[in-house]
Amino acid sequence: MKAGSEMREAVVRTLLSLLHRDNELSRCCAARALGEMKAQEAVPALITRLQTDPDPDVRMEAAAALGKLGSAESLGALIDALHSDPDGDVRIQCCLALKHSKSPRVLETLLPLLYGEATAGMNEWGDDEDMEFSAAWELQEQALEALEDSGDARAARAVITLLESDDYPDLQERGFRLLARQGGKEGTAFLLRQLQEGERLTRRRAAQALAWIKAPEARQALLRALQDPDPAVRIAAARSLGEQADDQVLVPLLRLLQDPEAEVRREVAAVVARWEHPVVLNALLSLLHDTHPSVRQQGVFWLGERGEAGAVEPLLRLLEQQSEDTLLCSEAIKALGKIRAPAAVIPLCRILQDRERDAEIRMQAALALGDLVKTDMAVAEREEEQVEEGPSPLDPLEVLVEAVADTEVNVCFAALLSLTRIGGARASETFVKAIRGEIPAASPPSTMPQTSEPAPADAGTESQDTLPGEDPQSSTLAAIEARYQAEMSAASPPPPDHALLEQQRRVQRHAARLARELGDPAVLESLRQAAAIDDPELQREALLSLATLDDPQIREVALPKLHAPHREVRIAALDALERYQAPEAVDALITLLDREEDPLVIQRAVEVLGTWGDARAGEAILPRLNHESRPVRCAALEALAALNSSEAIPHLRPLLFAQGGDLRKEVASALKKLGDTELTPFLLRILQDPAEEEKHWMAIEALAELFRV
């Protein structure tokens, strides 16, 4: 411990000496490092830099370091620089350093910033009115933020003075919030006046700020603002009243559901929906008949969020009456799923089976059934339906299984996802078939009318395949043609439908991915088979699911895939092997590193070796410290540190300065974990050598990483 303390003292002494160097970069880095090290003994030297250094960047770093150290000794210097430093950015940094201080001196210092005199001449870009930013504006905003929690009445008066000027409209919102949070009489009166007399944007901001104030006069002003001519103000007032959660304001809010502006009706619906009051249900139900689609959707959404059982029948009627409105029907189905409405099971089954309905609606039906079928209530409802509908009721589980073969991919995927939620033997059996590709894709619905009657021949027209005077059944030519077609069909099967095959493959991939959510070991063998199919995406999903399901044969499946031609498969094999530790796996990964060229695969292999490798792994990782890919180099550093590979230390030190110090902090962190006791003396020697000046800033940052508090 003593040795470590002495080493830290040596580092601080060296950094303090660097504050006097002619090199501005070294001074900046030294000031920053002293702050990160929480070196309280550096306060006087940092104050000197803040007061006297000719470089504004150094003064900024000194101010930031003093802010981290939080010493009362530095308050005077920071306050002086805040008012007098010629550089606006330095003054901003001083304000940031002071803003967390609770000293009364700080409050008295920040207040004048709001009046403008203390920031005169700070607009870095002169009088260019097109500039949205200036140092003065930033400084005032920081002062406002620092004063927000002060609770001092003087802060409110200063903010009011600031906001009464037309020069600071961009500070209005933060200033209003400060006044509202403090809640004083003067600030409240100012906000009420702004709500009544201000411009449109001012009224909206005042209405938003008044949410913080629970006084009766604020509530009355917000109630009046519900009649404001501007829709945005009415919305802001409604939201602020909603924050008060007082039943006395509910009735006026409900009236806004009849507002002429759809935007207002939509937003107010979200406000009143959070009320636990009986009248809210009827209010939301009334929105199902609104003239604007977005309002209807909002009403449906909140009925679902509230889990309103009384909304089930109206939502089911809406599905019948508004069947062409895709968005509304989709929202209604989602709401029924959230409500867990048993009565919706059979109607949703019918929607899912109706292939003429929009695919989005059917997809939502499949997803909702996944929530509904799990409940005992849904089971009871299905039994009732069986009694009502006769011997062939709709079984939602079987309807979902059937939907796995749907031609609409999203419907298929939704059905699979719902089966993972339901679980059970039937779901596992379906997943096994889907992963194996044994579920045939359904044919798309026909768009042509079907008839069992042959089309009548045109009058006076004979078939080209019939001889004059013969009908098609007795025509020798027709018979020969028919036999030829039959023979060709028997000898040559029809060409595969590539679209259907691709859909089947997508079903396999999705089923393989969702198998890890199903969590049933019954699918393991089908996943192993899928990992052998020549489809990179399918192999990847199968490998990851096998690993997630803790397949005892994962090693035998994954190791050969390290040689797969596709990168994503090799990475998936590495992911699968990450939790598996065995000597043969280490050998396989080392072999992979020796021949692999893809940086992503190399990075992943290094990461895996770092989790459970041995001394051989460390030797194999070392050459990757010089890889052209930065992520690979970072992974190698972390892996060597995790493996506690002390023999890597001599190889790491030069990397502190390689490629312009690109990895200086990462290398220092790795060496710290490896317990490199010679690193600090090594860096101090560099800092004391004028010939190594170009490395000084890198050495300083490395030391800061080593001694960071």
Side-chain angles (χ1 to χ4, degrees), residues 333-334 352 358-373 396-397 399-423 427 430-431 503 506-507 510-511 513-514 517:
I333 292 171
K334 286 189 280 187
L352 180 55
D358 185 269
E360 171 69 19
I361 296 175
R362 298 177 61 231
M363 180 189 75
Q364 294 300 338
L367 292 173
L369 284 171
D371 292 324
L372 292 169
V373 176
L397 182 58
V399 171
L400 285 169
V401 169
E402 176 187 318
V404 172
D406 201 273
T407 54
E408 292 290 346
V409 175
N410 288 341
V411 174
C412 161
F413 292 172
L416 284 169
L417 182 58
S418 286
L419 289 173
T420 66
R421 298 172 183 168
I422 297 168
T430 303
F431 264 82
Q503 179 189 345
R506 281 186 289 182
V507 172
H510 202 67
R513 182 179 68 81
L514 287 176
E517 296 186 29

Side-chain angles (χ1 to χ4, degrees), residues 118-131:
T119 58
M122 284 184 60
N123 291 326
E124 186 176 344
W125 295 285
D127 298 325
D128 188 348
E129 295 181 355
D130 293 333
M131 286 295 182

Side-chain angles (χ1 to χ4, degrees), residues 22 39 60 170 182 206 208 282 329 422 439 486 492 563 608 666 697:
D22 291 335
M60 283 179 60
D170 293 327
Q182 291 201 353
Q208 291 171 336
N282 289 333
C329 287
I422 297 168
I439 295 182
S492 304
H563 307 284
V608 174
E666 291 82 357
W697 70 274

Side-chain angles (χ1 to χ4, degrees), residues 134-191:
S134 73
W137 183 89
E138 175 70 15
L139 187 56
Q140 287 176 312
E141 184 177 41
Q142 294 298 335
L144 276 173
E145 184 175 335
L147 291 167
E148 192 166 322
D149 297 320
S150 68
D152 194 298
R154 292 175 296 169
R157 286 193 292 272
V159 169
I160 291 171
T161 301
L162 172 73
L163 297 180
E164 284 177 337
S165 168
D166 295 332
D167 297 333
Y168 306 105
D170 293 327
L171 299 175
Q172 187 184 74
E173 190 165 11
R174 185 180 289 278
F176 280 6
R177 189 172 71 221
L178 182 149
L179 295 173
R181 290 190 63 185
Q182 291 201 353
K185 291 183 178 180
E186 194 173 358
T188 300
F190 177 77
L191 290 173

Side-chain angles (χ1 to χ4, degrees), residues 335-556:
L336 289 167
K338 293 174 184 176
I339 296 171
R340 303 294 175 92
V345 172
I346 298 304
L348 292 182
C349 285
R350 295 192 179 108
I351 289 174
L352 180 55
Q353 287 185 318
D354 184 358
R355 297 170 68 196
E356 301 295 332
R357 294 291 290 263
D358 185 269
E360 171 69 19
I361 296 175
R362 298 177 61 231
M363 180 189 75
Q364 294 300 338
L367 292 173
L369 284 171
D371 292 324
L372 292 169
V373 176
K374 291 186 298 183
T375 65
D376 293 335
M377 291 177 62
V379 173
E381 179 68 18
R382 293 203 303 275
E383 292 173 354
E384 293 177 11
E385 289 289 331
Q386 289 181 13
V387 174
E388 295 174 8
E389 298 193 9
S392 300
L394 287 174
D395 184 337
L397 182 58
E398 292 304 320
V399 171
L400 285 169
V401 169
E402 176 187 318
V404 172
D406 201 273
T407 54
E408 292 290 346
V409 175
N410 288 341
V411 174
C412 161
F413 292 172
L416 284 169
L417 182 58
S418 286
L419 289 173
T420 66
R421 298 172 183 168
I422 297 168
R426 188 71 175 101
S428 297
E429 175 189 343
T430 303
F431 264 82
V432 168
K433 290 182 178 180
I435 293 169
R436 289 177 175 172
E438 296 175 357
I439 295 182
S443 301
S446 174
T447 58
M448 297 294 292
Q450 301 293 324
T451 176
S452 58
E453 298 295 329
D458 292 340
T461 304
E462 295 183 355
S463 170
Q464 295 180 353
D465 292 338
T466 59
L467 297 175
E470 295 184 330
D471 60 33
Q473 285 73 25
S474 61
S475 169
T476 304
L477 181 59
I480 294 173
E481 179 67 20
R483 285 196 301 272
Y484 174 75
Q485 293 292 346
E487 291 170 0
M488 290 298 295
S489 297
S492 304
D497 188 326
H498 294 289
L500 291 177
L501 289 177
E502 176 55 27
Q503 179 189 345
Q504 188 177 65
R505 189 69 83 209
R506 281 186 289 182
V507 172
Q508 286 181 275
R509 297 168 192 152
H510 202 67
R513 182 179 68 81
L514 287 176
R516 40 192 182 267
E517 296 186 29
L518 183 67
D520 191 339
V523 301
L524 288 177
E525 182 56 37
S526 61
L527 287 170
R528 296 181 197 123
Q529 294 171 359
I533 295 175
D534 186 18
D535 184 284
E537 292 183 51
L538 179 57
Q539 290 181 19
R540 175 184 180 278
E541 299 298 348
L543 285 168
L544 294 177
S545 289
L546 287 169
T548 303
L549 296 172
D550 292 321
D551 180 19
Q553 300 182 32
I554 186 61
R555 177 174 59 86
E556 290 79 3

